[in-house]
Amino acid sequence: MKILSIQSSVAYGHAGNSSAVFPLQRLGHEVWPVYTVHFSNHTGYGQWKGVVFEPSTVADVISGIEERGVLPECDAVLSGYQGAEAIGEVILDAVARVKEANPKAIYCADPVMGDVGRGFFVQPGIPEFMRDRVVPAADIITPNQFELEFLTGSEVHSVADLVAAANTLRDKGPRTILVTSVQTDETPADSVQMAVVSDEGAWLVTTPLLPLYVTGGGDATAAIFLAHVLTDGPAEALAKTADSVFGIVERTHEAGTRELQLVGAQEAIAHPSGRFTVAELT
């Protein structure tokens, strides 16, 4: 499969495309990365150097790809954090171009906006842009629980609430919803969950919650899920994604670092062990 991934990048560590590209490649997919920024490191350090590319520059790169005549070969577009609405418009234009060239292509959007405990960490207007423009254009959406609640105007306290909210989001356009960082009143202690809701059904998987916070985890999760859902059913894609993501976080925890150990955990990416059971939801 060939995937156009439009995201940020960092030289040191893993975030944006620097977190998404390697897992996609390790799973056998060809990636065309387009960078919206190129920083020395992710902004969680408080200090960084680099450049934010003008929307026109990002659009020029995409146009250059289009001029090679390869958009009909593109199977999917992947996007994540969008620093400004102007970049979002460039991404949506790219999605439209790809879909015009290949109507079977899909758009997977990770609606990065915020998280429980942190609230929103994007510019004003971006959450509404995600809700009103990105969601209707997407085929797959990968929000965390906080983002799901915002996008649907609902509160998630139970698995039933989770499925209902995902279906509300599906009514807005996307057919497949992957919800990450799920912790409802029913989630077992010291655990975190991930769920997928699609036309085929709904499934939930539970993994241990390790005591660390990493940047770029959501970017890797969206990429890994997209890689699998392009070739497998949603339930199998969920199982493999949960296994690989836990393997990455586990390796990162063992290393005692704040940067994802993607290379060190590459076998967990390429060959998920099947250690977590996916439960079908009614």
Side-chain angles (χ1 to χ4, degrees):
M1 298 289 184
K2 297 181 176 67
I3 300 167
L4 174 64
S5 184
I6 310 170
Q7 301 192 57
S8 61
S9 67
V10 295
Y12 172 76
H14 301 284
N17 264 335
S18 303
S19 183
V21 171
F22 177 72
L24 288 169
Q25 292 173 329
R26 193 65 181 83
L27 286 163
H29 297 293
E30 187 72 32
V31 187
W32 305 338
V34 175
Y35 302 140
T36 56
V37 311
H38 188 58
F39 288 164
S40 56
N41 48 270
H42 68 68
T43 58
Y45 286 95
Q47 293 181 319
W48 66 92
K49 295 183 182 297
V51 62
V52 176
F53 294 120
E54 292 292 332
S56 59
T57 300
V58 179
D60 281 346
V61 172
I62 295 168
S63 293
I65 296 171
E66 184 178 30
E67 289 169 4
R68 304 285 69 75
V70 296
L71 290 192
E73 303 172 18
C74 184
D75 298 290
V77 179
L78 174 64
S79 70
Y81 172 81
Q82 299 181 14
E85 290 183 36
I87 286 291
E89 295 288 359
V90 170
I91 293 171
L92 292 179
D93 180 67
V95 170
R97 293 192 202 186
V98 168
K99 290 200 168 195
E100 182 178 4
N102 177 13
K104 294 182 179 179
I106 64 173
Y107 174 33
C108 177
D110 183 8
V112 179
M113 296 179 287
D115 204 352
V116 173
R118 300 178 65 192
F120 290 108
F121 49 68
V122 293
Q123 291 185 10
I126 292 297
E128 292 77 13
F129 183 82
M130 289 288 188
R131 181 191 63 202
D132 301 335
R133 297 292 311 283
V134 174
V135 167
D139 301 288
I140 301 171
I141 290 284
T142 64
N144 60 34
Q145 184 174 322
F146 174 87
E147 292 158 347
L148 175 68
E149 291 179 338
F150 168 77
L151 292 172
T152 59
S154 61
E155 294 185 0
V156 174
H157 299 288
S158 65
V159 172
D161 291 342
L162 179 70
V163 174
N167 278 323
T168 296
L169 196 57
R170 280 172 13 94
D171 289 341
K172 299 177 183 293
R175 304 316 306 154
T176 300
I177 313 296
L178 174 72
V179 189
T180 64
S181 301
V182 173
Q183 287 186 303
T184 71
D185 296 342
E186 300 169 358
T187 301
D190 300 320
S191 299
V192 65
Q193 296 174 307
M194 191 182 300
V196 65
V197 182
S198 71
D199 291 340
E200 291 86 347
W203 295 268
L204 182 74
V205 63
T206 304
T207 65
L209 179 63
L210 297 178
L212 78 164
Y213 176 83
V214 292
T215 297
D219 305 320
T221 300
I224 292 169
F225 180 76
L226 174 61
H228 287 303
V229 85
L230 285 171
T231 55
D232 303 316
E236 186 174 355
L238 175 65
K240 290 179 177 179
T241 300
D243 192 295
S244 293
V245 170
F246 181 77
I248 294 167
V249 175
E250 184 178 43
R251 183 65 177 259
T252 303
H253 183 245
E254 291 170 351
T257 72
R258 64 184 299 176
E259 293 291 350
L260 290 175
Q261 298 299 294
L262 290 180
V263 175
Q266 63 181 287
E267 283 304 307
I269 297 171
H271 306 291
S273 63
R275 56 181 152 172
F276 300 115
T277 301
V278 172
E280 185 170 9
L281 305 174
T282 57

